[in-house]
Amino acid sequence: MISRRKFLRNSAISAGVFSFTRDLAAVPAADSDIDSRIEILLEQPLGTISPNIYGHFAEHLGGVIYDGIWVGRNSKVPNVDGIRKDLVDHMRKIKAPVVRYPGGCFADSYDWRDGIGPVDKRPRRSNFWSDIESPSSPSSHKYEPNEFGTNEFIHFCKLLGSQPYLAANVRSLPAEEFYRWVEYCNAPSGSTTLAETRGAAGYSEPFHVRFWGVGNESWGCGGNFTPQDYAVEFRRFTTWVPRFGEELAFIASGPNDDNWEWTRGFLEEIVRKSPRQLREMYGLALHYYTWNLSRGRTRDWNEGKGDALKFDLVDWYELLRDAEVMDSLIKGHWQIMGEFDHEHHVKLVIDEWGPWYRPGSEATPGDILEQMPTLRDAVFSAMTLDIFHQHPEKIAMANCAQLINCLNSLYLAHEDKFCITPVGHVFDMYSAHQGGQSLRTIFSTPKINYERDGRPASFWGLKGSASVRDKALVLTVVNPSVSEPRVAAINVRGATISSGTVTVLTHSDIHAHNSFEERDAVRPQTQPLEMSGGTVTDSFRPASVTKIVLNL
Ligand code: AHR
C-alpha cells in the first residue's frame, strides 16, 4: 500500500424578486417557491479577508513552468519577456496577490544559484520529478534547463502585480545558502557582490521579497524530519537572517492534512528554547489535498484516487464532502497552535490545496500531475474559498495547487493554446472578496438526500460567504445539488440596496469543462439584479456557484 507520504518520500435590503432559468434568462420567482433563507449580519464582522488567501503556486513540475508560464523570448506564442501573455493578462484581471515558487518538493532539491546569471551559462539538472516523467515528456520537464530562475520569476510577479513567496531548500542546502538567496534578492543596489550579480543581470533594484518558506513538506520529500528535528532546523535557518530593511515573513513547513502530531511536536520544540522564538515565525503551512474518493475502500495513494472526468453523482458529493474537511483542519490546527502561541501571533498559510485525481485526463498528454478541472472542481474551489472567509483571523495566505497545467489549475496551456478552467473563473468571480470585511452569514435550507453505497446520505443545501468593502457587499453561494434549484430569500439587516449584479457559473452537465477546442463551455454569466420592492430572492441553480454584488 502506498501512502502520500511514502509516494513523496520516494519521489439585503431592498426589493427584488428574480431567478434564473436553465438558459440564464432572468424571470420572476414566486414567493411560494422560497425554500431557503440567507441572513447577512452586517453588524457582525469576522475580520478582514487577506487578499493573499487568493494566492497561487507554481512549481518546476511537469508543464507548469516550461510551456505553462515560460514560453521563451523568441517564441511564436504571444509573450511578455518570455512569459505567456494570456496568463499575465488574466492573472492581472483576477488580482493575483502572491505566487509561491519554486516548489513544492522541487524546492528542497533546488540550488537557487543554478537559476541566475547568463542563461547560456546556467547548468542543466535532473528535476526532482524526473523519475515519474514519461519517456514522451519534453526534455525541459525531466532535465531542468534553468532558463526560468529567480530573476524571471520576480519579473513574472512584477508583471502580475503579485508578491513573490520563495520556498527555500532545507533538505539539501545549508542555512548559509538561504541567507545568500535573501541577500541576492533584497540587498540594496550595488551593496554586495550578490547585489552586483543581480544588477549585472539587469535587476539593479532589490526584489523586496518578504515571504520565505523554510522548506516544504519537511515531514516527507523535504527531508523526512521528525517535527522536533525540523523545529531545530527552522530555528537555525531563521536566526539572524540579514533583513536589508525588509520585514521578512518566515513560513514554517507545517502539517499535512490532520497530522496534529506534527503541529504539536513542532511548536512544542520551538517554544522549548523560548516562547520568543515564535516571533520569528509568520506562518505555519498546512497542506490539504482531497484525493481519496474510494469511500473507505482503501487508503492507498494510487488506488484511492478518483477520475477527474468520469464520475457519478455519488463521486460528485464525495469530493464536496472532502472539501468540508478543510474547515475542521483549520479549527483543529489553530486550536493546537493556541496551546503554544497564546496570542496567536503565528497564522495559518494553506500553501497547497485542491483535488488530486489519478492520471488520464491531461489536456496535454505527458504533463505529469496535470488533470482536467470540471464544474465539480469549480464548486469545490468556491466552497474552499468560502471556508477561508469564515476564518479571516486565522488564515494569512493560501495558495491553490497549482496555477497552470497541474492539479487544480486555473489555466491550461500548451504551445499557442490556452484556456481558463472553471476553477479560474471562480477565482475571477471571488476576487471581489479580497480585502473585504467578512460578515457572519446564516444559511437555512433543506438538506440534499441521496444514496451512498446502499445507505441514505445527506449533504447541506446551500452555503457560502459574504463580505463588505466600502459600499459594496459581495455574497457568494454554492448550490451543491446536482438536480435541485434552491430559491432563497436574502436579507441584509439594516441596509438599503441601490443596485446589484448576479453572476452565475454552472452547466447542465456536472462534468462540463473547458478545453483548447471548447474554451467557453463553462463560463460565468452576469446580469443586473432586478429589484422591485420586498426582499431580494434568488433561485440558485443546481450545481452552481453564484456571486451577488449589492451596492449599498
Ligand atoms: O503539488 C504537488 C506536490 O504535492 C508538491 O510538490 C508537494 O509539496 C506536494 O506533496
Side-chain angles (χ1 to χ4, degrees), residues 5-32:
R5 193 172 161 177
K6 199 160 166 201
F7 163 79
L8 291 166
R9 191 189 298 144
N10 298 342
S11 49
I13 329 190
S14 129
V17 178
F18 67 96
S19 75
F20 288 120
T21 60
R22 296 296 276 180
D23 63 2
L24 289 180
V27 293
D31 279 358
S32 56

Side-chain angles (χ1 to χ4, degrees), residues 13-73:
I13 329 190
S14 129
V17 178
F18 67 96
S19 75
F20 288 120
T21 60
R22 296 296 276 180
D23 63 2
L24 289 180
V27 293
D31 279 358
S32 56
D33 293 339
I34 294 173
D35 58 12
S36 306
R37 287 195 183 279
I38 302 173
E39 191 85 9
I40 303 167
L41 308 177
L42 256 185
E43 74 287 3
Q44 291 197 35
L46 302 174
T48 304
I49 296 172
S50 165
N52 289 346
I53 69 163
Y54 285 86
H56 306 284
F57 171 36
E59 176 168 6
H60 284 259
L61 192 179
V64 179
I65 302 293
Y66 300 108
D67 201 16
I69 297 175
W70 182 254
V71 294
R73 290 193 169 83

Side-chain angles (χ1 to χ4, degrees), residues 439-502:
L439 300 172
R440 188 160 169 247
T441 305
I442 301 166
F443 293 80
S444 317
T445 186
K447 280 189 173 161
I448 299 162
N449 295 305
Y450 66 103
E451 199 179 288
R452 182 177 184 259
D453 296 333
R455 290 168 181 234
S458 66
F459 196 68
W460 48 258
L462 280 184
K463 266 194 191 177
S465 64
S467 69
V468 66
R469 194 171 44 165
D470 302 327
K471 298 226 171 281
L473 189 146
V474 181
L475 169 69
T476 45
V477 180
V478 162
N479 178 0
S481 169
V482 295
S483 53
E484 297 295 319
R486 290 277 170 239
V487 182
I490 303 165
N491 182 38
V492 181
R493 279 193 208 155
T496 310
I497 299 301
S498 57
S499 59
T501 55
V502 183

Side-chain angles (χ1 to χ4, degrees), residues 353-539:
W353 66 267
W356 192 326
Y357 302 107
R358 61 172 164 252
S361 66
E362 301 82 0
T364 305
D367 277 4
I368 56 164
L369 270 58
E370 183 174 303
Q371 60 195 28
M372 181 58 77
T374 66
L375 181 61
R376 179 172 61 157
D377 303 298
V379 169
F380 175 101
S381 301
M383 279 174 60
T384 303
L385 293 169
D386 283 326
I387 290 171
F388 291 164
H389 298 162
Q390 320 293 324
H391 303 285
E393 80 291 8
K394 304 184 186 77
I395 309 173
M397 191 197 295
N399 309 73
C400 180
Q402 298 197 14
L403 176 66
I404 184 165
N405 292 346
C406 186
L407 302 175
N408 201 37
S409 311
L410 282 77
Y411 312 101
L412 296 171
H414 179 50
E415 297 172 345
D416 59 352
K417 296 179 284 227
F418 178 82
C419 75
I420 303 165
T421 72
V423 174
H425 286 308
V426 167
F427 270 77
D428 192 359
M429 290 166 68
Y430 273 52
S431 64
H433 278 298
Q434 289 187 18
Q437 269 296 321
S438 181
L439 300 172
R440 188 160 169 247
T441 305
I442 301 166
F443 293 80
S444 317
T445 186
K447 280 189 173 161
I448 299 162
N449 295 305
Y450 66 103
E451 199 179 288
R452 182 177 184 259
D453 296 333
R455 290 168 181 234
S458 66
F459 196 68
W460 48 258
L462 280 184
K463 266 194 191 177
S465 64
S467 69
V468 66
R469 194 171 44 165
D470 302 327
K471 298 226 171 281
L473 189 146
V474 181
L475 169 69
T476 45
V477 180
V478 162
N479 178 0
S481 169
V482 295
S483 53
E484 297 295 319
R486 290 277 170 239
V487 182
I490 303 165
N491 182 38
V492 181
R493 279 193 208 155
T496 310
I497 299 301
S498 57
S499 59
T501 55
V502 183
T503 304
V504 182
L505 184 76
T506 189
H507 198 280
S508 52
D509 179 1
I510 57 173
H511 310 90
H513 55 274
N514 297 331
S515 62
F516 298 141
E517 295 71 39
E518 220 184 331
R519 290 160 34 120
D520 284 331
V522 187
R523 70 187 168 97
Q525 310 251 350
T526 300
Q527 301 214 344
L529 176 65
E530 291 186 9
M531 296 166 52
S532 61
T535 27
V536 170
T537 305
D538 189 19
S539 174

Side-chain angles (χ1 to χ4, degrees), residues 4 8 57 59 104-105 129 216-217 289 352 356 402 407:
R4 179 165 117 79
L8 291 166
F57 171 36
E59 176 168 6
C105 292
W129 296 98
N216 167 76
E217 299 199 344
Y289 287 103
E352 292 188 29
W356 192 326
Q402 298 197 14
L407 302 175

